[in-house]
């Protein structure tokens, strides 16, 4: 989670716990005396309408449980928050990611906890070809998966 | 050196768009259709002058899906260094020219929810093919177009007739007409991509205003006729991989200096847009003037586009023989 300065307005949204997680960001925005709006993600129609009214130059923070994040990413992109330069997602709780096997291209699910980013050195066995994979932080949006390299040659 | 493939073409028609803008229709010499292109593409024209060969870029203004011929529009520049004078006074219908294949350094964003074009004067040219492409795909767009007067506004009648709903005109020398300002940038809904083309000062004003509002840099696209001028135009020295040195004078580009010394340097656009001439930098501080590298890449000081960029330090050490 990082504060991105220089935006005309900030939008802070999330589930109840997510809004709490975003408190340091909200604090920073207030210190900078920048306009901001906050909305709890309870009613999808309301959230869509709120986000659709925004103008270019706004920056959006979204914090929710990891399983919700993918769905929220699709919604915000559909509305027009198109790049990482205008939206940041902060997941919380248990996260299930997919790991792409560099050999057989199979996808293996992996549970990740406590961290938004992958810790170094996680090794898993590919569920399709049984190759031992070292999980990298290279994410493919096409596969919705992190690349797994050969762990031992 | 990278040898550019050329297409021989004939000038089939010349139209006077305004007093200072001519539109040229080009077709292949052998009657075969010219290659297709995407919205925002341009071609290079190779012109032989008394002072040597020059290379000028012009946006393709025609219909991207009407295969077969190209159209370009050229404004006669009062400070012409040869290109626009040659096109206006040295070219007649039936002449042959050598052009490059189409290239696109100003493509439409495929992610944008809507597109807004800002053009000043002859800066309209790349937007003509872009608008046509968007209309074909039914994607929403708006054009904000400023010129001195209706009479000096290239493609005014065409635009008014073809895109009556999408065009907003602003004439700075006509009374009681709204002026184009950067204020409209604040009104664009989230998901908009903006495109600026016109004189350097126009692009700088709009780019700065967009950045001040907080626009992501990836949502802002510009096409400059000439690359931005370096902050300081000092002479400097480059040291090559083999230890030899090349002096770059104040009035020449690094690319020109390398070529003059017989060093094979790949290049193409000569305006800091295509990245062909990117070379690794081992030491020294680069004064980046290109519009190809991202801000992050420029910050690392790892590479230089030798066609436009220079040195802030007295010496640069380059990874080139």
């Amino acid at each position: 989670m990082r504060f991105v300065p220089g935006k005309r307005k900030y939008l802070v949204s999330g589930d109840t716990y997510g809004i709490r997680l975003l408190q340091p960001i909200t604090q920073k925005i207030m210190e900078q005396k920048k306009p901001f709006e906050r909305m709890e993600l309870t009613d999808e129609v309301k959230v869509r309408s709120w986000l659709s009214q925004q103008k270019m130059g706004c920056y959006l923070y979204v914090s929710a449980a990891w399983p919700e994040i993918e769905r929220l990413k699709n919604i915000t992109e559909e509305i027009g928050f198109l790049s990482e330069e205008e939206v940041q997602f902060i997941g919380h709780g248990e996260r299930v990611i997919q790991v792409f096997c560099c050999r057989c291209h199979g996808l293996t699910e992996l549970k990740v906890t406590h961290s938004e980013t992958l810790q170094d050195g996680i090794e898993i066995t590919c569920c399709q070809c049984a190759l031992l994979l070292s999980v990298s932080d290279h994410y493919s949006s096409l596969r919705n998966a992190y690349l797994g390299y050969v762990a031992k040659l | 050196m990278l040898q550019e493939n050329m297409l021989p073409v004939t000038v089939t028609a010349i139209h006077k768009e305004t007093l200072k803008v001519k539109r040229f229709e080009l077709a292949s010499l052998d009657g075969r259709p010219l290659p297709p292109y995407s919205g925002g593409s341009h071609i290079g024209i190779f012109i032989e002058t008394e002072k040597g060969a020059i290379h000028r870029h012009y946006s393709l203004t025609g219909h991207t899906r009407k295969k077969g011929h190209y159209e370009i529009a050229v404004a006669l520049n009062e400070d012409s260094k040869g290109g626009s004078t040659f096109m206006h006074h040295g070219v007649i219908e039936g002449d042959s020219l050598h052009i490059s294949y189409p290239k696109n350094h100003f493509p439409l964003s495929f992610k944008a929810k809507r597109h807004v074009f800002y053009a000043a004067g002859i800066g309209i040219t790349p937007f003509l093919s872009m608008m046509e492409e968007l209309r074909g795909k039914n994607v929403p767009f708006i054009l904000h177009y400023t010129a001195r007067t209706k009479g000096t506004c290239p493609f005014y009648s065409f635009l008014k007739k073809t895109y009556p709903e999408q065009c907003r005109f602003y004439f700075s020398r006509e009374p009681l007409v709204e002026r184009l300002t950067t204020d409209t940038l604040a009104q664009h809904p989230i998901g908009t991509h903006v495109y600026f083309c016109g004189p350097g000062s126009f692009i700088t004003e709009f780019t700065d205003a967009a950045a001040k509002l907080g626009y992501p840099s990836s949502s802002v696209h510009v096409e400059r006729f000439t690359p931005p001028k370096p902050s300081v135009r000092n002479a400097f020295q480059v040291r090559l991989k083999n230890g030899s040195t090349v002096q770059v004078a104040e009035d020449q580009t690094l690319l020109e200096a390398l070529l003059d010394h017989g060093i094979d340097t790949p290049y193409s656009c000569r305006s800091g847009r295509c990245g062909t001439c990117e070379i690794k930098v081992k030491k020294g501080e680069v004064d980046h003037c290109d519009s190809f590298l991202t801000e992050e890449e420029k910050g690392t000081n790892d590479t230089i586009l030798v066609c436009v960029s220079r040195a802030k330090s007295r010496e640069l050490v380059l990874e080139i023989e």
Side-chain angles (χ1 to χ4, degrees):
Chain A
M1 183 186 332
R2 69 198 152 81
F3 176 69
V4 177
K7 301 293 170 179
R8 67 193 295 193
K9 186 166 91 175
Y10 293 86
L11 310 165
V12 175
S13 61
D15 53 22
T16 312
Y17 184 67
I19 292 270
R20 225 182 308 152
L21 265 185
L22 289 171
Q23 190 52 37
I25 291 289
T26 313
Q27 187 65 37
K28 191 91 187 168
I29 297 166
M30 288 163 82
E31 279 168 23
Q32 304 259 328
K33 295 190 170 70
K34 284 281 187 181
F36 82 98
E37 289 174 18
R38 188 162 45 193
M39 184 176 273
E40 196 168 325
L41 300 170
T42 46
D43 181 340
E44 190 179 315
V45 178
K46 244 167 101 179
V47 169
R48 274 180 182 273
S49 151
W50 174 57
L51 293 177
S52 303
Q53 286 161 22
Q54 305 304 329
K55 307 284 187 197
M56 286 300 290
C58 289
Y59 193 91
L60 171 66
Y61 288 92
V62 183
S63 181
W66 276 112
E68 271 292 283
I69 289 283
E70 279 313 312
R71 196 178 68 85
L72 291 166
K73 273 186 184 173
N74 290 337
I75 292 172
T76 54
E77 188 170 332
E78 192 191 304
I79 289 168
F81 290 87
L82 303 170
S83 75
E84 287 170 7
E85 289 179 283
E86 51 201 344
V87 55
Q88 215 174 117
F89 296 94
I90 297 103
H92 60 76
E94 193 176 76
R95 181 186 185 192
V96 177
I97 61 160
Q98 296 194 103
V99 179
F100 180 80
C101 176
C102 62
R103 183 167 72 181
C104 73
H105 296 197
L107 293 169
T108 305
E109 284 195 345
L110 169 69
K111 278 183 187 170
V112 187
T113 49
H114 305 304
S115 172
E116 300 164 26
T117 52
L118 295 168
Q119 300 125 358
D120 286 339
I122 299 178
E123 289 183 354
I124 62 163
T125 304
C126 172
C127 67
Q128 192 167 287
C129 73
L131 182 71
L132 190 64
L133 297 172
S134 168
V135 183
S136 78
D137 58 359
H138 291 174
Y139 173 72
S140 160
S141 50
L142 179 70
R143 309 275 179 188
N144 182 25
Y146 289 84
L147 182 62
Y149 293 111
V150 180
K152 281 183 190 134
L153 289 172
Chain B
M1 190 194 306
L2 183 78
Q3 290 296 321
E4 185 144 21
N5 286 326
M6 289 192 274
L7 285 163
V9 293
T10 182
V11 180
T12 51
I14 301 175
H15 309 273
K16 204 159 187 177
E17 283 294 327
T18 68
L19 212 58
K20 289 196 171 175
V21 176
K22 281 185 176 177
R23 179 164 56 91
F24 299 80
E25 289 186 30
L26 311 172
S28 69
L29 281 182
D30 58 12
R32 294 205 313 213
L34 289 167
Y37 59 94
S38 53
S41 295
H42 68 274
I43 51 164
I45 296 193
F46 300 89
I47 302 165
E48 291 295 336
T49 70
E50 286 171 3
K51 289 179 188 169
I54 56 173
H55 186 195
R56 291 290 180 270
H57 301 115
Y58 298 106
S59 296
L60 290 164
T61 60
H63 203 297
T64 54
R65 285 171 298 163
K66 245 188 224 167
K67 288 175 187 159
H69 78 285
Y70 293 163
E71 290 185 23
I72 56 168
V74 182
L76 182 61
N77 185 346
E78 281 162 17
D79 303 320
S80 173
K81 288 178 186 152
S84 70
T85 304
F86 172 80
M87 291 303 292
H88 270 254
H89 303 308
V91 176
I92 56 168
E93 287 179 4
D95 275 0
S96 294
L97 292 172
H98 281 93
I99 66 170
S100 73
Y101 279 77
K103 299 171 196 175
N104 200 343
H105 301 147
F106 196 37
L108 286 161
S109 159
F110 62 90
K111 276 182 126 181
K113 299 290 169 194
R114 62 197 69 78
H115 306 257
V116 182
F117 304 113
Y118 286 86
I122 195 66
I124 187 64
T125 52
F127 299 142
L128 294 167
S129 60
M130 291 162 114
M131 289 160 75
E132 188 269 315
E133 186 172 318
L134 291 175
R135 186 171 58 157
K137 291 177 179 167
N138 219 10
V139 177
F141 66 89
I142 292 286
L143 168 72
H144 294 279
Y145 185 12
T146 181
R148 288 183 178 186
T149 61
K150 267 180 208 164
T152 59
C153 182
F155 301 97
Y156 173 70
S157 308
F158 166 80
L159 288 165
K160 216 167 158 51
K161 191 178 154 201
T162 316
Y163 306 105
E165 301 298 316
Q166 291 91 345
C167 297
R168 316 271 184 275
F169 295 97
Y170 309 82
F171 299 112
S172 57
R173 297 281 168 88
E174 284 184 10
L176 304 173
V177 175
E178 195 189 351
R179 303 283 183 266
L180 176 61
T181 70
T182 57
D183 292 353
T184 49
L185 289 173
Q187 305 307 322
H188 300 320
I190 200 82
T192 304
H193 275 233
V194 290
Y195 303 78
F196 308 137
C197 188
S201 56
F202 171 84
I203 291 176
T204 304
E205 186 189 354
F206 277 79
T207 309
D208 289 352
K212 211 172 161 193
L213 278 168
Y215 272 60
S217 57
S218 57
S219 303
V220 178
H221 310 267
V222 302
E223 171 110 298
R224 291 180 187 273
F225 302 139
T226 50
K229 289 195 171 69
S231 47
V232 189
R233 216 178 158 89
N234 282 339
F236 60 99
Q237 175 176 286
V238 287
R239 187 172 295 278
L240 311 181
K241 222 170 157 186
N242 59 14
S244 64
T245 57
V246 173
Q247 303 297 327
V248 184
E250 284 172 29
D251 61 348
Q252 68 177 160
T253 65
L254 171 50
L255 174 66
E256 285 164 356
L258 293 170
L259 295 175
D260 285 352
H261 278 74
I263 297 153
D264 275 353
T265 312
Y267 68 89
S268 178
C269 74
R270 280 187 177 239
S271 54
R273 292 190 301 186
C274 71
T276 309
C277 66
E278 185 177 358
I279 291 176
K280 279 195 175 164
V281 176
K282 282 183 80 178
K283 215 173 151 192
E285 205 186 339
V286 180
D287 188 5
H288 293 285
C289 304
D290 64 272
S291 47
F292 176 79
L293 298 173
T294 63
E295 288 306 311
E296 203 177 324
E297 286 166 335
K298 285 177 183 172
T300 63
N301 205 52
D302 283 346
T303 63
I304 181 170
L305 262 61
V306 298
C307 69
V308 290
S309 296
R310 305 181 70 81
K312 280 184 186 166
S313 49
R314 291 177 68 179
E315 185 182 78
L316 286 180
V317 182
L318 302 181
E319 276 278 319
I320 186 170
E321 293 278 357

